[in-house]
Amino acid sequence: MEFYRQPSPESSNLLSQLPQLSDEQLQRDYLNYLQWTEPIAQMLAQLEDEAQALRIVRLALEVDLQLGAKLAGAVKPRFQVQTVGLITTLPVPEVLKVQLLGITGSDYGIPYLVEALNDEESYIPGSATFALGEIKSEVAVRALIQALNHQNSDVYWLAPHILARICSELAEAGLIHALNHENPWVRGNAAEALAEIGREEIVYLLIPCLSDQDPYVVKMAASTLGKIGHEVAVPALIEVLQHKNPKVRIKAASALGKIKSEAAVPSLIQALNDESPSVDWYVADALGKIGSQAAVTALIQALQHDNYLIRYSATSALGEIKSQQVEEALIPLLLDENWMVQDRTVAALGNIGSDKAQATLIEAFNSGYLYLNAICSLGMTAPLLAERLLIQLLNNQSHQLDAIRALGQIGSQAAIPLLIQALNHVDFQVSQAAAFALGNIGSDAAVPFLIEAMNNKNEFVQESAAMILGELGSEEAIPALTHALKYGCPLIKSTAVKALGKITSQAAIAALIEALNNYLTYDDIDDSDDISIIFAAEALEKEGTPEALPYLAKILLKLTGYKSTFIETVFNTIAAIQHRCGYYNYAIAHS
């Protein structure tokens, strides 16, 4: 965190009062309030008394760990050995300590973090790499550049991306130098990370990487060149269309589609008959994105290809181009010998949505072929007609499941009673699909029936019902979701937490806080509990009240599985609640 160093009147006044303030006064009246954080940091930058500096940081750590870490890095540099030392000796989980050192922004935390890169716990080295990126100083950047040579894959995998986010000249020079690293994973990740810088000069540095001996490097370089989108890369990317590795050819085709240069069309047309169907898909997609007349003509010609996969790819690409020429070319493929091509043609015509396309889809339904797909596509442009036809199919056991899903997609109000009835179907897949369809339609009338579905014997139906109750945002569902938090399996617990977070009423927030309190009673928090806590924290970040702060602070001290993500999420939630209420520590504010 950056603080302004120009002394404010508040910081000067506090500096003069400091010797007279008790620890309790300092915490209660100053440290606990966000409005005082910057003045205190400014004061610490002026403070010449090391004992007082240590006192303030120590008291701040008691108020809030993140506050204490920020202030530890705000004191005069000659005191930071001691203030940062307070962080390294905290009795907290190691991963939390590592993240707090990053928050200090102090170079004096770097030796500890560099040592943590070698920690045997799998999640510590990656967290330490992130923490170095938070410090952002020249010393930290040099440590990250050195980390590119580390043996731990988490470290050398993350370091390039963190260097790119720092955006300093030294970090950029380190990434450019890493393009020649002996480890191909480092070379490839450096090429990928340079996309975040994205200047034209980067293009000229990446083009030679397309000739690298390692496919991963070529793939990442091609991907980055596509993201930057400069035409100077087109000739080199065209050459990569001939690469022996199909995954590399895919990245080259995708990049050319993003750049949208007509100069690539002849080579893409030639590449359209690739031995790999996946490559054909991306080549056709690239031609569709370029969208020139030559590209469209080539795709229309590809509709006649002997290989159905090429016809399929061409049909998909043409579906994004709304023209009469394309429409006329696609209609005959409704009778293609391959059902995949037929399906894709129906979808393409539905996307085009012209009167003629609609008439063709209705004819396809009445003819008895492709009728379900025809209706779904028809729903894009003629939803009332599609609704009527889909409801007819609900009694057709062969197509019931797909009909339910399609009714949800088009938002059919008329189907709500039938979908509610389907919640009790003997086939759990039908019940699950009905729940999702009701959620897509957004009908409050379904709430009581979805609550009842949470008692279904099948946990997947329970999960779907809980998820949709959250989407509907009904307070009526809170008791059932709270019950699921206490007695459900891990899947249902995490879904119920997420659902409560979407309801966002005071009753739902109270239930989430109570859930955190329950987790604190566990001897150990396992991976499934981690997921539920992360969902609860994410929900409380948006609407949480200060009452949640003590529980979130205690949760941080529990040993967990998803360490870095877990702590970052809880930190963000704590900070958001503190910002809303204006103070750090609930107990101190109410003492």
Side-chain angles (χ1 to χ4, degrees), residues 210 218 222 234-246 248-257 264-272 274 279 282-283 286:
L210 296 176
V218 184
V234 169
L237 287 167
I238 286 172
E239 289 187 22
V240 180
L241 289 173
Q242 307 298 321
H243 198 281
K244 62 183 179 181
N245 188 307
V248 174
R249 298 198 297 276
I250 284 172
K251 287 294 182 183
S254 178
L256 289 166
V265 170
S267 298
L268 286 167
I269 292 172
Q270 189 176 356
L272 195 54
D274 195 278
V279 176
Y282 282 92
V283 169

Side-chain angles (χ1 to χ4, degrees), residues 331-344:
I331 288 172
L333 272 79
L334 286 171
L335 298 174
D336 194 277
E337 63 185 25
N338 183 272
W339 68 269
M340 290 174 59
V341 178
Q342 292 177 351
D343 273 2
R344 187 54 58 177

Side-chain angles (χ1 to χ4, degrees), residues 438-439 442-444 446-447 450-451 465-478 481 498-508:
L438 288 165
S443 170
D444 290 337
V447 170
L450 288 166
I451 291 172
M467 189 183 303
I468 301 309
L469 285 168
E471 296 290 344
L472 295 174
S474 171
E475 289 196 48
E476 188 181 344
I478 292 174
L481 292 170
K498 208 168 185 178
L500 284 165
K502 292 183 178 180
I503 294 174
T504 68
S505 70
Q506 290 302 310

Side-chain angles (χ1 to χ4, degrees), residues 460-513:
F460 295 111
V461 176
Q462 295 175 36
E463 178 201 18
S464 303
M467 189 183 303
I468 301 309
L469 285 168
E471 296 290 344
L472 295 174
S474 171
E475 289 196 48
E476 188 181 344
I478 292 174
L481 292 170
T482 303
H483 183 271
L485 275 179
K486 293 180 180 178
Y487 304 108
C489 66
L491 174 66
I492 304 306
K493 283 183 179 180
S494 62
T495 307
V497 166
K498 208 168 185 178
L500 284 165
K502 292 183 178 180
I503 294 174
T504 68
S505 70
Q506 290 302 310
I509 291 169
L512 290 170
I513 293 173

Side-chain angles (χ1 to χ4, degrees), residues 323-358:
S323 74
Q324 184 176 352
Q325 180 191 17
V326 168
E327 183 179 75
E328 294 289 347
L330 285 172
I331 288 172
L333 272 79
L334 286 171
L335 298 174
D336 194 277
E337 63 185 25
N338 183 272
W339 68 269
M340 290 174 59
V341 178
Q342 292 177 351
D343 273 2
R344 187 54 58 177
T345 304
V346 165
L349 288 169
N351 191 48
I352 291 171
S354 69
D355 291 343
K356 185 171 184 178
Q358 287 186 36

